[in-house]
Structures are given as C-alpha cells and as structure tokens.
Amino acid sequence: MWNRPRFDLKVRLTLRVAAISAACFAAISAYFLITADREAHARIDSIAAIVAKSLELQQGKIQWAASPRDFPNLDPVAAYVMTPGLCLAFRGPSGEMLQRFCSGAPAPASPSPQVFAAFYRSLFDPGREATRPVIVRGTRLGETVVSVDPAVQTAEAWHEAGRLMIALAIALPLLCLLVYAALARALRPTRLIRTGLERIAANDLSARLPPFDLAELSAIRDGFNHLAESLDNALAERSELTRKLIALQDDERRHLARELHDEFGQSLAAIRALASSARQTAVQDCPALLSECDGIARTATGMMETLRGTLFRLRPPDVEELGLVASLEGLVAGWNGRSRGETRFSIRFDGAFETLPAAISANLYRIVQEALTNAAKHAGATKVDLHLTMGANEIALAIDDDGRPNDASSKSGMGLLGMRERVAALRGRMSFEVGANGGSALRVVIPLTAAERHPLEHAA
C-alpha cells in the first residue's frame, strides 16, 4: 500500500480554506466578467436600435419632403453615440456595405495582459456584431450594424474585473497566512496533548493535561486524564498483585530449598557415608568392588555440588543484611568460580546503594541472577559485563554479553518473563535486544519515588 504524505493539520486546514477561497474568488471574478460582457452587448444592441430608428426617420423625412437626399446618412447619429472603438455601418438589402463609420481606439493606460486577453477571447466573443433592420412602410431597406473593437472591449473587461482579480490574488496569500496563524494559535494545546501521550507511552502515568478553552480539547483532556488515572490505578493494582506473587514465589523457593537441604541433602550424605563404609569392607573382603564404591562416592559428591548450586539459586544470601553491592559481588564471584574460565563475569557500580529499600534490592538481585543464568547457560556467552548506576530519580542496570545471536530461549523463556514481572512490580522499564552478529543487551530502569530518594540523599 502506498505511503501517503503526512501533512500538518494546520497546513491541511489552511489549504482547504485556500481552495474554498480561491473557488469563491474565481466565482466572483467570473460574475464580474459575465456582467461586463452582457453590459457591452446590451450597449451595442441599444446603439444599433437607435441608429436603425434614426435611419427610419431619415427615410420618412425624405419621402415626406419629396426631395432626394443622401441615404443613409450616419453622421447625425454618429455624433451622439460614437465612443472609442465603436463602428457604425449600414448594410443594404443585397448585403453590400453602403456606409461605415469607425472611431479610433486610443492606447489604453493599463493594457490587459496577453494571458487575460487570450482567456477572455476564448470564453466570450468581444467582436460580435449587433444588427437591427431598417423597415419603412413594410419595406426592408437594410440593416444597421454596430460592433466594438475586440481590443477595446477586452481592455474594458480587464478594467472592470482585472483589478478585482489582482486584489483577490494578493488577498488570498494574506488570508492563508492569517488562517494559518489563527489555527496555529488555536491548536497550540495539541502540543501538550502530544507530550502527555508520549509520557504515557513512556510509562509515566502521572501525566495530566491542563484545562483548555476549546470545548473539543476540553473533552479530550477529560478523557485523557480519566484514562491516565485508570491506567495508573490498574498498574498500581497489578504491581501490588505481582509483588504478592513474587513474595509467594520466594517463600515457595525457600520452602523448597529447606526441603531439599533437609531431605535430599541428608540422603546424599548418607549415601556417601555408606559408600565409604562399603569401601572399607571391600578393601578387606572384596577388592573388586573398590571401583564401584569409589564411583558411588563420586556420584554422590557431584550431586552434592549440584544441590549446593541449586540451593544457592533458590535461597540466595540475605540481601538486606549483606547489602546489594556485596550480594551481587558474591553472585558474580560465584559464577566466575563455577564457570572455570569459560565465561568471564564483571560488574561495576556507580552511586551509593547502602540505603536502597529492601524490596528494590531483592528484586534487582533476582533480575541479575536470572540474566546471568540466561547469558551463561542458554546463550553460551564468554564475556558478561554488568553495570549498575544510581541516578537522581532512577536506578539503571545494563547487562551485555557476547552470546549466540537469535537465541529463542533467551528471548522468550521463563527467565526473561520472570524479569519482566519483577520490573513491572517496581513500575520500571525493561528492554532486551539481540544483535544480528551475536551478543545481547539487557536494559532495566527502576524509578525511585520521593520516599525512596529521601534516605538516599541523606546517605550521600
């Protein structure tokens, strides 16, 4: 589908007003041109009638006086009706032109443009003749012919309508400028509406629009503010529910870690003790079983290591007691130790995190934990960089790795979903991008409320 160009609303409305005004101006100009043409033809028709009547009177006098005189004689009537560019003539019954008078056309002070002259001649017939028959006692003696020089009639039409057209051509741009300025002033509040929508799109649901003078914009303002308030309440309820679900999930993890430690851990310890006891017995009674005993012990030891890692992920160190910085440094150090050089983890801190609220610290720790797990296990990264920054109004977390590109598990797995839920519970923003040539970038921004910034300012 073709992409149609987008015009500013003020430009669109101004163009429409200009089109309507131009149509009105064209109609007015056409009216004046038609009126001028009709008046010109009415004038030459009336002159033709006067000349015909005068010739009829001349012929009547000649017959009454019974004296031969010249006929037709256009001199007496020409002295009264002649105007510049006017031609008077008498055509006989056989079609021959018996007499003709034409007055010269003076050079006009403001000649009509050639474009207007061509346009006028294409629409009208400025050289059209007006004829009237001369009839005396029922006998047709001929007819009078009256015409006007086309150049003179075109100049008169330009004098009547041309100035108006020039005035309208000058007034149209001025009208467009005034309309555009008026629309720009009237639509100035739309910038505030656009800014408010952009803030809503950026998850800033505290945005509200001020009152407007226009009724239409006031209705938009009421709907916008109601929608923003409804979204703010819905997001607050969702965040509260998410926090409760996350707290319940953490409690379930602690319960599961306790069960694994008490039941599964003790069972593995018992297996290792039995394997050690069986090995001592096999040394004396059945040396052939020594390899099997050692294998059981190694398997139990490996399962104990795996259990410790699982317990560490299910029940992390107490972030509230150790602090977020120490907890994350310990988490990164643990991953560096377990990866044995296959993946190198690094972390940097900017800002003071000592008095960060426990809820934010715990959720940030879980987010980093999930991100490191995705980068090391699912993406196969060899280098993972973490950067945590404390700003004046927000906390920013950036995690970059060089893992495999377009990895489906890292983009849509449960780990990423869990991170999104935690970020949403803190009313933050999260973005995850995978590079075309490998690597991924995770960005998390957590806003700080006034109550959360207050202790941090004192600590600084």
Side-chain angles (χ1 to χ4, degrees), residues 203 235 238-239 242-243 246 363 366-367 370-371 374 410-434 441-446:
N203 292 330
L235 187 57
R238 178 195 173 198
S239 299
T242 304
R243 281 194 292 268
I246 291 175
N363 281 286
R366 284 294 191 184
I367 292 171
E370 294 287 355
N374 287 339
S410 63
K411 290 192 291 184
S412 59
M414 294 300 294
L416 187 60
L417 180 59
M419 285 188 285
R420 291 189 185 278
E421 290 178 353
R422 292 183 182 275
V423 173
L426 297 175
R427 317 226 19 202
R429 305 186 302 275
M430 174 179 166
S431 63
F432 182 81
E433 296 180 358
V434 178
L442 176 68
R443 299 291 182 268
V444 176
V445 177
I446 306 298

Side-chain angles (χ1 to χ4, degrees), residues 204-322:
D204 183 8
L205 300 181
S206 62
R208 297 293 185 272
L209 294 180
F212 298 127
D213 294 335
L214 295 178
E216 293 80 3
L217 295 182
S218 296
I220 294 176
R221 176 250 183 189
D222 295 338
F224 178 91
N225 291 344
H226 178 71
L227 178 61
E229 185 176 358
S230 300
L231 288 176
D232 194 14
N233 295 334
L235 187 57
E237 294 175 359
R238 178 195 173 198
S239 299
E240 182 63 25
L241 179 60
T242 304
R243 281 194 292 268
K244 291 181 180 179
L245 292 176
I246 291 175
L248 182 62
Q249 184 184 42
D250 292 339
D251 292 339
E252 187 65 23
R253 285 182 174 183
R254 284 192 292 268
H255 177 72
L256 180 60
R258 188 164 51 250
E259 292 292 331
L260 289 175
H261 180 271
D262 295 341
E263 300 295 336
F264 195 64
Q266 292 181 7
S267 298
L268 288 176
I271 291 174
R272 291 180 60 184
L274 290 174
S276 178
S277 177
R279 188 181 191 283
Q280 292 179 359
T281 303
V283 170
Q284 298 176 357
D285 299 338
C286 187
L289 296 176
L290 288 176
S291 60
E292 283 79 359
C293 293
D294 292 338
I296 294 174
R298 286 194 300 271
T299 301
T301 301
M303 293 179 68
M304 287 291 292
E305 292 296 329
T306 303
L307 179 61
R308 290 193 186 97
T310 303
L311 292 177
F312 182 79
R313 288 191 297 273
L314 290 175
R315 188 176 59 189
D318 196 342
V319 179
E320 186 174 356
E321 293 182 0
L322 298 179

Side-chain angles (χ1 to χ4, degrees), residues 360-373:
I360 297 180
S361 299
N363 281 286
L364 280 175
Y365 181 89
R366 284 294 191 184
I367 292 171
V368 173
Q369 188 182 40
E370 294 287 355
L372 295 184
T373 302

Side-chain angles (χ1 to χ4, degrees), residues 50-232:
I50 293 173
V51 174
K53 193 66 174 176
S54 298
L55 293 178
E56 291 174 356
L57 292 175
Q58 286 182 14
Q59 185 64 24
K61 289 180 179 180
I62 292 174
Q63 293 179 0
W64 179 77
S67 60
R69 290 186 181 181
D70 295 335
F71 182 85
N73 185 9
L74 297 176
D75 291 338
V77 68
Y80 295 101
V81 299
M82 291 301 290
T83 57
L86 184 67
C87 290
L88 303 179
F90 180 79
R91 186 183 292 127
S94 59
E96 72 278 9
M97 196 69 68
L98 300 179
Q99 192 176 16
R100 181 181 177 89
F101 286 99
C102 289
S103 63
S110 56
S112 60
Q114 294 182 358
V115 176
F116 176 81
F119 173 75
Y120 184 78
R121 290 174 182 175
S122 64
L123 295 180
F124 305 99
D125 185 14
R128 187 179 65 183
E129 296 178 346
T131 61
R132 286 291 185 275
V134 178
I135 301 174
V136 178
R137 296 181 180 180
T139 303
R140 181 184 176 94
L141 303 179
E143 62 181 3
T144 59
V145 181
V146 180
S147 63
V148 179
D149 188 355
V152 174
Q153 188 173 348
T154 303
E156 291 179 354
W158 172 252
H159 179 76
E160 294 292 334
R163 296 181 180 180
L164 176 63
M165 295 174 65
I166 294 176
L168 296 180
I170 297 175
L172 184 59
L174 295 177
L175 177 63
C176 292
L177 290 176
L178 294 176
V179 170
Y180 185 86
L183 290 174
R185 181 178 180 84
L187 297 177
R188 189 178 301 170
T190 56
R191 299 180 182 177
L192 298 177
I193 297 176
R194 179 180 177 181
T195 303
L197 291 174
E198 290 175 350
R199 291 178 60 185
I200 291 292
N203 292 330
D204 183 8
L205 300 181
S206 62
R208 297 293 185 272
L209 294 180
F212 298 127
D213 294 335
L214 295 178
E216 293 80 3
L217 295 182
S218 296
I220 294 176
R221 176 250 183 189
D222 295 338
F224 178 91
N225 291 344
H226 178 71
L227 178 61
E229 185 176 358
S230 300
L231 288 176
D232 194 14

Side-chain angles (χ1 to χ4, degrees), residues 336-348:
N336 282 325
R338 288 191 297 274
S339 65
R340 298 176 182 177
E342 296 181 0
T343 305
R344 182 64 184 171
F345 298 86
S346 63
I347 188 169
R348 293 183 295 120

